[in-house]
Amino acid sequence: QVQLVQSGAEVKKPGSSVRVSCKASGGTFNGFAIGWVRQAPGQGLEWMGGIIPAFGTSNYAQRFQGRVTITADESTSTAYMELSGLGSEDTAVYYCARGRDWAYDILTGYSYYMDVWGKGTTVTVSS
Amino acid sequence: EILLTQSPGTLSLSPGERATLSCRASQSVSSSYLAWYQQKPGQAPRLLIYGASSRATGIPDRFSGSGSGTGFTLTISRLEPEDFAVYYCQQYGSSHTFGQGTKLEIK
């Protein structure tokens, strides 16, 4: 059974960047998407973007466009999410998740549901 | 962007009772690309339902999903103690958005 193992907690200064990794253990990314979701303290879930590792194609939620970059290395079954221009509002737990049964529509982009989740990476932005 | 509104915000019930959670979309969700997740404190979300009504692997049959278009429902037929948690709906037909969550608490 595949597990997604995320990198450890980070503390960052305002204005800096953070890079979170997500490695598939016990399996690969073959045929799947990887999505990134964050959750601010006491708040709900927010989708940030995702990638189809087989194609290297990524897409992002509009509110994060220009600030987030999602990449993947199929050879190591590892995905990365980098968020720049950090502010206190970016303090959150960041999750990666495996996207299942993905499909592509030219109008609506990539669709997939997320069936396996990492345990999350806490990112704290503080001066 | 498709907005999802979940109701109620909090649902107080006792073990053994039936829970009905609602998720309404601001526009029709294409191909019933609607999922439900359960989240317990300090844990990652857990997929329950995808495609509006298909149970994920290992999910007990007391969980069921229904609906189409703009209205979707998650039903838990008989609540077990471990079912008390926060539940989120998510549409993945037009980008991805989550509802704000319904907290299911013990009465």
PDB file of all heavy atoms in Angstrom, chain A residues 3 8 10 16 22 36 44 51 54 57 74 79 85-86 89 91 93 101 103 110 117 120 122-123:
ATOM      1  N   GLN A   3       2.315   4.840   0.563  1.00  0.00           N
ATOM      2  CA  GLN A   3       2.206   5.912   1.559  1.00  0.00           C
ATOM      3  C   GLN A   3       2.929   7.133   0.993  1.00  0.00           C
ATOM      4  O   GLN A   3       3.887   6.988   0.222  1.00  0.00           O
ATOM      5  CB  GLN A   3       2.850   5.512   2.877  1.00  0.00           C
ATOM      6  CG  GLN A   3       2.117   4.412   3.618  1.00  0.00           C
ATOM      7  CD  GLN A   3       2.774   4.089   4.954  1.00  0.00           C
ATOM      8  OE1 GLN A   3       3.985   3.908   5.023  1.00  0.00           O
ATOM      9  NE2 GLN A   3       1.989   4.064   6.010  1.00  0.00           N
ATOM     10  N   GLY A   8       9.822  17.465   6.864  1.00  0.00           N
ATOM     11  CA  GLY A   8       9.540  17.922   8.207  1.00  0.00           C
ATOM     12  C   GLY A   8       9.101  19.375   8.294  1.00  0.00           C
ATOM     13  O   GLY A   8       9.137  20.135   7.330  1.00  0.00           O
ATOM     14  N   GLU A  10       8.709  23.310   9.035  1.00  0.00           N
ATOM     15  CA  GLU A  10       9.550  24.431   8.643  1.00  0.00           C
ATOM     16  C   GLU A  10       9.103  25.692   9.388  1.00  0.00           C
ATOM     17  O   GLU A  10       7.915  25.899   9.619  1.00  0.00           O
ATOM     18  CB  GLU A  10       9.427  24.678   7.139  1.00  0.00           C
ATOM     19  CG  GLU A  10       9.790  23.500   6.244  1.00  0.00           C
ATOM     20  CD  GLU A  10      11.209  23.573   5.742  1.00  0.00           C
ATOM     21  OE1 GLU A  10      11.994  24.388   6.256  1.00  0.00           O
ATOM     22  OE2 GLU A  10      11.538  22.786   4.827  1.00  0.00           O
ATOM     23  N   SER A  16      10.169  35.064   2.576  1.00  0.00           N
ATOM     24  CA  SER A  16      11.016  33.965   2.098  1.00  0.00           C
ATOM     25  C   SER A  16      10.162  32.928   1.357  1.00  0.00           C
ATOM     26  O   SER A  16       8.973  33.128   1.121  1.00  0.00           O
ATOM     27  CB  SER A  16      11.745  33.315   3.272  1.00  0.00           C
ATOM     28  OG  SER A  16      10.841  32.660   4.144  1.00  0.00           O
ATOM     29  N   CYS A  22       7.315  15.404  -1.009  1.00  0.00           N
ATOM     30  CA  CYS A  22       6.312  14.355  -0.811  1.00  0.00           C
ATOM     31  C   CYS A  22       6.779  13.136  -1.591  1.00  0.00           C
ATOM     32  O   CYS A  22       6.779  13.154  -2.831  1.00  0.00           O
ATOM     33  CB  CYS A  22       4.974  14.884  -1.336  1.00  0.00           C
ATOM     34  SG  CYS A  22       3.648  13.676  -1.484  1.00  0.00           S
ATOM     35  N   TRP A  36      -1.902  19.227  -3.950  1.00  0.00           N
ATOM     36  CA  TRP A  36      -1.434  19.863  -2.718  1.00  0.00           C
ATOM     37  C   TRP A  36      -2.590  20.660  -2.122  1.00  0.00           C
ATOM     38  O   TRP A  36      -3.252  21.453  -2.815  1.00  0.00           O
ATOM     39  CB  TRP A  36      -0.239  20.763  -2.993  1.00  0.00           C
ATOM     40  CG  TRP A  36       1.014  19.987  -3.281  1.00  0.00           C
ATOM     41  CD1 TRP A  36       1.433  19.531  -4.499  1.00  0.00           C
ATOM     42  CD2 TRP A  36       2.004  19.565  -2.345  1.00  0.00           C
ATOM     43  NE1 TRP A  36       2.621  18.847  -4.366  1.00  0.00           N
ATOM     44  CE2 TRP A  36       2.996  18.857  -3.052  1.00  0.00           C
ATOM     45  CE3 TRP A  36       2.162  19.718  -0.954  1.00  0.00           C
ATOM     46  CZ2 TRP A  36       4.125  18.307  -2.430  1.00  0.00           C
ATOM     47  CZ3 TRP A  36       3.288  19.177  -0.344  1.00  0.00           C
ATOM     48  CH2 TRP A  36       4.255  18.478  -1.081  1.00  0.00           C
ATOM     49  N   GLY A  44     -10.572  25.409   7.221  1.00  0.00           N
ATOM     50  CA  GLY A  44     -10.890  24.306   6.337  1.00  0.00           C
ATOM     51  C   GLY A  44      -9.768  24.005   5.354  1.00  0.00           C
ATOM     52  O   GLY A  44      -8.654  24.517   5.457  1.00  0.00           O
ATOM     53  N   ILE A  51      -0.145  18.226 -10.008  1.00  0.00           N
ATOM     54  CA  ILE A  51       0.724  17.881 -11.133  1.00  0.00           C
ATOM     55  C   ILE A  51       0.420  16.467 -11.593  1.00  0.00           C
ATOM     56  O   ILE A  51      -0.004  15.627 -10.791  1.00  0.00           O
ATOM     57  CB  ILE A  51       2.211  18.033 -10.727  1.00  0.00           C
ATOM     58  CG1 ILE A  51       3.143  17.894 -11.937  1.00  0.00           C
ATOM     59  CG2 ILE A  51       2.596  17.040  -9.614  1.00  0.00           C
ATOM     60  CD1 ILE A  51       4.569  18.333 -11.677  1.00  0.00           C
ATOM     61  N   ALA A  54       3.672  12.048 -14.776  1.00  0.00           N
ATOM     62  CA  ALA A  54       4.047  11.383 -16.030  1.00  0.00           C
ATOM     63  C   ALA A  54       4.276  12.386 -17.156  1.00  0.00           C
ATOM     64  O   ALA A  54       5.068  12.138 -18.063  1.00  0.00           O
ATOM     65  CB  ALA A  54       2.975  10.374 -16.430  1.00  0.00           C
ATOM     66  N   THR A  57       3.062  18.142 -16.174  1.00  0.00           N
ATOM     67  CA  THR A  57       2.142  19.285 -16.311  1.00  0.00           C
ATOM     68  C   THR A  57       1.492  19.584 -14.976  1.00  0.00           C
ATOM     69  O   THR A  57       0.979  18.696 -14.289  1.00  0.00           O
ATOM     70  CB  THR A  57       1.060  19.004 -17.348  1.00  0.00           C
ATOM     71  OG1 THR A  57       0.440  17.743 -17.040  1.00  0.00           O
ATOM     72  CG2 THR A  57       1.659  18.913 -18.740  1.00  0.00           C
ATOM     73  N   GLU A  74       9.858  11.753 -11.301  1.00  0.00           N
ATOM     74  CA  GLU A  74       9.331  10.391 -11.377  1.00  0.00           C
ATOM     75  C   GLU A  74      10.361   9.354 -10.984  1.00  0.00           C
ATOM     76  O   GLU A  74      10.007   8.302 -10.442  1.00  0.00           O
ATOM     77  CB  GLU A  74       8.835  10.111 -12.797  1.00  0.00           C
ATOM     78  CG  GLU A  74       7.398  10.497 -13.034  1.00  0.00           C
ATOM     79  CD  GLU A  74       6.717   9.582 -14.029  1.00  0.00           C
ATOM     80  OE1 GLU A  74       7.148   9.574 -15.197  1.00  0.00           O
ATOM     81  OE2 GLU A  74       5.770   8.876 -13.636  1.00  0.00           O
ATOM     82  N   ALA A  79       7.407  14.430  -5.205  1.00  0.00           N
ATOM     83  CA  ALA A  79       6.819  15.687  -5.677  1.00  0.00           C
ATOM     84  C   ALA A  79       7.223  16.806  -4.728  1.00  0.00           C
ATOM     85  O   ALA A  79       7.539  16.567  -3.556  1.00  0.00           O
ATOM     86  CB  ALA A  79       5.300  15.577  -5.752  1.00  0.00           C
ATOM     87  N   GLY A  85       7.190  34.267  -1.391  1.00  0.00           N
ATOM     88  CA  GLY A  85       6.550  35.460  -0.853  1.00  0.00           C
ATOM     89  C   GLY A  85       5.712  35.187   0.381  1.00  0.00           C
ATOM     90  O   GLY A  85       4.596  35.675   0.498  1.00  0.00           O
ATOM     91  N   LEU A  86       6.268  34.396   1.296  1.00  0.00           N
ATOM     92  CA  LEU A  86       5.492  33.956   2.459  1.00  0.00           C
ATOM     93  C   LEU A  86       5.081  35.119   3.349  1.00  0.00           C
ATOM     94  O   LEU A  86       5.846  36.050   3.599  1.00  0.00           O
ATOM     95  CB  LEU A  86       6.307  32.947   3.271  1.00  0.00           C
ATOM     96  CG  LEU A  86       6.557  31.592   2.596  1.00  0.00           C
ATOM     97  CD1 LEU A  86       7.541  30.775   3.415  1.00  0.00           C
ATOM     98  CD2 LEU A  86       5.258  30.841   2.411  1.00  0.00           C
ATOM     99  N   GLU A  89      -0.150  34.709   6.807  1.00  0.00           N
ATOM    100  CA  GLU A  89      -1.360  33.989   6.380  1.00  0.00           C
ATOM    101  C   GLU A  89      -1.045  32.656   5.721  1.00  0.00           C
ATOM    102  O   GLU A  89      -1.949  31.849   5.463  1.00  0.00           O
ATOM    103  CB  GLU A  89      -2.187  34.863   5.427  1.00  0.00           C
ATOM    104  CG  GLU A  89      -1.541  35.151   4.083  1.00  0.00           C
ATOM    105  CD  GLU A  89      -0.529  36.281   4.111  1.00  0.00           C
ATOM    106  OE1 GLU A  89      -0.211  36.799   5.221  1.00  0.00           O
ATOM    107  OE2 GLU A  89      -0.053  36.645   3.017  1.00  0.00           O
ATOM    108  N   THR A  91       0.907  30.481   7.195  1.00  0.00           N
ATOM    109  CA  THR A  91       1.094  29.517   8.277  1.00  0.00           C
ATOM    110  C   THR A  91      -0.026  28.488   8.202  1.00  0.00           C
ATOM    111  O   THR A  91      -1.220  28.845   8.285  1.00  0.00           O
ATOM    112  CB  THR A  91       1.074  30.226   9.643  1.00  0.00           C
ATOM    113  OG1 THR A  91       2.237  31.056   9.752  1.00  0.00           O
ATOM    114  CG2 THR A  91       1.048  29.219  10.785  1.00  0.00           C
ATOM    115  N   VAL A  93      -0.825  23.802   7.750  1.00  0.00           N
ATOM    116  CA  VAL A  93      -0.361  22.449   7.462  1.00  0.00           C
ATOM    117  C   VAL A  93      -0.565  22.223   5.966  1.00  0.00           C
ATOM    118  O   VAL A  93      -1.649  22.480   5.436  1.00  0.00           O
ATOM    119  CB  VAL A  93      -1.138  21.395   8.271  1.00  0.00           C
ATOM    120  CG1 VAL A  93      -0.675  19.993   7.886  1.00  0.00           C
ATOM    121  CG2 VAL A  93      -0.954  21.620   9.769  1.00  0.00           C
ATOM    122  N   ASP A 101      -7.763   8.468 -10.834  1.00  0.00           N
ATOM    123  CA  ASP A 101      -8.704   8.545 -11.956  1.00  0.00           C
ATOM    124  C   ASP A 101      -8.709   9.927 -12.610  1.00  0.00           C
ATOM    125  O   ASP A 101      -9.779  10.464 -12.925  1.00  0.00           O
ATOM    126  CB  ASP A 101     -10.123   8.178 -11.508  1.00  0.00           C
ATOM    127  CG  ASP A 101     -10.238   6.723 -11.103  1.00  0.00           C
ATOM    128  OD1 ASP A 101      -9.317   5.937 -11.413  1.00  0.00           O
ATOM    129  OD2 ASP A 101     -11.236   6.356 -10.457  1.00  0.00           O
ATOM    130  N   ALA A 103      -8.552  12.994 -15.175  1.00  0.00           N
ATOM    131  CA  ALA A 103      -8.993  13.226 -16.549  1.00  0.00           C
ATOM    132  C   ALA A 103      -8.709  14.674 -16.883  1.00  0.00           C
ATOM    133  O   ALA A 103      -8.572  15.514 -15.992  1.00  0.00           O
ATOM    134  CB  ALA A 103     -10.481  12.912 -16.692  1.00  0.00           C
ATOM    135  N   TYR A 110      -7.506  19.611 -15.062  1.00  0.00           N
ATOM    136  CA  TYR A 110      -7.380  18.239 -14.573  1.00  0.00           C
ATOM    137  C   TYR A 110      -8.368  17.982 -13.436  1.00  0.00           C
ATOM    138  O   TYR A 110      -8.451  18.768 -12.490  1.00  0.00           O
ATOM    139  CB  TYR A 110      -5.966  17.976 -14.068  1.00  0.00           C
ATOM    140  CG  TYR A 110      -4.945  17.897 -15.189  1.00  0.00           C
ATOM    141  CD1 TYR A 110      -4.136  18.982 -15.491  1.00  0.00           C
ATOM    142  CD2 TYR A 110      -4.818  16.740 -15.938  1.00  0.00           C
ATOM    143  CE1 TYR A 110      -3.205  18.917 -16.523  1.00  0.00           C
ATOM    144  CE2 TYR A 110      -3.895  16.665 -16.972  1.00  0.00           C
ATOM    145  CZ  TYR A 110      -3.098  17.754 -17.259  1.00  0.00           C
ATOM    146  OH  TYR A 110      -2.185  17.685 -18.276  1.00  0.00           O
ATOM    147  N   TRP A 117      -3.304  10.299   1.354  1.00  0.00           N
ATOM    148  CA  TRP A 117      -2.802  11.593   1.821  1.00  0.00           C
ATOM    149  C   TRP A 117      -1.535  11.426   2.647  1.00  0.00           C
ATOM    150  O   TRP A 117      -1.384  10.453   3.386  1.00  0.00           O
ATOM    151  CB  TRP A 117      -3.857  12.286   2.688  1.00  0.00           C
ATOM    152  CG  TRP A 117      -5.073  12.736   1.927  1.00  0.00           C
ATOM    153  CD1 TRP A 117      -5.998  11.937   1.297  1.00  0.00           C
ATOM    154  CD2 TRP A 117      -5.511  14.081   1.735  1.00  0.00           C
ATOM    155  NE1 TRP A 117      -6.961  12.704   0.715  1.00  0.00           N
ATOM    156  CE2 TRP A 117      -6.701  14.023   0.972  1.00  0.00           C
ATOM    157  CE3 TRP A 117      -5.020  15.336   2.126  1.00  0.00           C
ATOM    158  CZ2 TRP A 117      -7.404  15.175   0.589  1.00  0.00           C
ATOM    159  CZ3 TRP A 117      -5.719  16.467   1.765  1.00  0.00           C
ATOM    160  CH2 TRP A 117      -6.886  16.388   1.003  1.00  0.00           C
ATOM    161  N   GLY A 120       1.081  15.485   6.386  1.00  0.00           N
ATOM    162  CA  GLY A 120       1.104  16.937   6.469  1.00  0.00           C
ATOM    163  C   GLY A 120       2.437  17.487   6.951  1.00  0.00           C
ATOM    164  O   GLY A 120       3.163  16.832   7.703  1.00  0.00           O
ATOM    165  N   THR A 122       3.907  21.036   8.680  1.00  0.00           N
ATOM    166  CA  THR A 122       3.554  22.321   9.286  1.00  0.00           C
ATOM    167  C   THR A 122       4.567  23.375   8.859  1.00  0.00           C
ATOM    168  O   THR A 122       5.773  23.199   9.030  1.00  0.00           O
ATOM    169  CB  THR A 122       3.543  22.214  10.824  1.00  0.00           C
ATOM    170  OG1 THR A 122       2.556  21.255  11.204  1.00  0.00           O
ATOM    171  CG2 THR A 122       3.199  23.556  11.452  1.00  0.00           C
ATOM    172  N   VAL A 123       4.062  24.446   8.289  1.00  0.00           N
ATOM    173  CA  VAL A 123       4.901  25.589   7.917  1.00  0.00           C
ATOM    174  C   VAL A 123       4.457  26.783   8.755  1.00  0.00           C
ATOM    175  O   VAL A 123       3.284  27.156   8.739  1.00  0.00           O
ATOM    176  CB  VAL A 123       4.780  25.915   6.411  1.00  0.00           C
ATOM    177  CG1 VAL A 123       5.563  27.181   6.085  1.00  0.00           C
ATOM    178  CG2 VAL A 123       5.268  24.736   5.578  1.00  0.00           C
TER     179      VAL A 123
END
